[in-house]
Amino acid sequence: MTTILQYLADHGPARSSLIVETLVAAGVSPEAARQRVSRVGKPIRRFPVQLLPRRESFLYLEKDRNSDRFWENFMRDLRATNSIYAAAMDGMIARHGIIPADQFNVISGATVFPQKGQLSAEMVASRLIAASFMKEVYDFEGVLHYELPPSLAKGNPVGLRARDLTERILLDAVRERCRKVGFASYNAVRIRGDADLKPIGPYAFDLAGPSYLLPMLGGP
């Protein structure tokens, strides 16, 4: 009979529903499997910060905490549940694991303003920091950045200033293209770094401007 301890030793940390499914497949009734999960104790740990939906638990062995497979399995389970935390983390991973904190609103894909049933980018960031999925660091100029654990960060984070400059040049080029082909109001397109760049609805973007093309999307 598979035990929770055996499952975690063999497969690494996992969300509770995966463990319940394994126990049920091994012949345990669903109710008994859920009760076993609810009663786990040392050396099995339950992650203290709630990140999975429907208050589902993430279980792991003490020895696996902060290991590579701890972070990898947690990301796997967050992605499998379509979690906004996974979307935010994937945005960070695509940025090589470190970004200026003021770019998190765009990269996370979360709402800037509170919306019913949705977590704001501010709440997502605070939860991820509390869960040690990312941490706050300051550069030599005192600018706040968010940084991922080494197990999740991909690529070389060196060259942040050069990356930001390159992206601003590209954004400015896209802005000029939008102006020239009439995608947006000529004098109202704003990009990252402009003081008057505003969210569109509840979401933040690196480029925004009023467009008059919506009627063209309809049929004749």
Side-chain angles (χ1 to χ4, degrees), residues 111-131:
T111 60
V112 179
F113 306 115
Q115 300 289 306
K116 185 177 180 179
Q118 299 186 54
L119 293 172
S120 68
E122 181 180 4
M123 179 61 73
V124 171
S126 65
R127 288 268 185 90
L128 289 174
I129 292 170

Side-chain angles (χ1 to χ4, degrees), residues 2-195:
T2 301
T3 66
I4 298 175
L5 187 63
Q6 288 172 337
Y7 180 93
L8 294 175
D10 293 341
H11 302 283
R15 69 186 198 271
S16 56
S17 62
L18 289 180
I19 299 171
V20 168
E21 289 174 6
T22 300
L23 294 175
V24 170
V28 180
S29 70
E31 181 59 29
R34 288 190 289 269
Q35 288 181 1
R36 289 187 186 184
V37 168
S38 69
R39 294 196 299 262
V40 294
K42 290 183 179 181
I44 299 172
R45 292 289 192 180
R46 196 182 307 271
F47 195 70
V49 181
Q50 186 64 49
L51 297 181
L52 291 165
R54 296 183 293 277
R55 303 192 64 81
E56 186 175 359
S57 299
F58 186 77
L59 304 180
Y60 59 95
L61 299 179
E62 289 179 337
K63 67 180 183 64
D64 284 332
R65 182 69 169 94
N66 288 327
S67 66
D68 284 353
R69 75 173 182 171
F70 174 90
W71 296 113
E72 291 167 1
N73 287 12
F74 213 152
M75 278 302 303
R76 174 204 66 197
D77 290 351
L78 288 173
R79 290 182 180 121
T81 58
N82 295 317
S83 166
I84 184 60
Y85 299 110
M89 291 295 295
D90 281 333
M92 291 281 293
I93 291 170
R95 313 287 294 165
H96 307 300
I98 185 168
I99 62 166
D102 62 6
Q103 295 180 17
F104 188 79
N105 285 351
V106 173
I107 289 168
S108 68
T111 60
V112 179
F113 306 115
Q115 300 289 306
K116 185 177 180 179
Q118 299 186 54
L119 293 172
S120 68
E122 181 180 4
M123 179 61 73
V124 171
S126 65
R127 288 268 185 90
L128 289 174
I129 292 170
S132 299
F133 266 83
M134 66 184 191
K135 63 180 179 179
E136 297 177 310
V137 296
Y138 291 87
D139 65 12
F140 64 93
E141 293 181 339
V143 177
L144 176 63
H145 288 69
Y146 292 151
E147 185 175 22
L148 301 185
S151 297
L152 292 177
K154 307 294 182 182
N156 186 353
V158 176
L160 291 176
R161 184 185 295 273
R163 184 178 76 189
D164 187 61
L165 177 60
T166 301
E167 290 177 348
R168 287 176 189 250
I169 291 173
L170 290 173
L171 284 168
D172 195 41
V174 174
R175 169 165 57 185
E176 288 304 305
R177 180 65 176 170
C178 289
R179 287 171 167 173
K180 290 179 180 179
V181 300
F183 281 169
S185 179
Y186 192 91
N187 292 318
V189 185
R190 299 292 181 263
I191 63 173
R192 182 203 303 167
D194 291 343

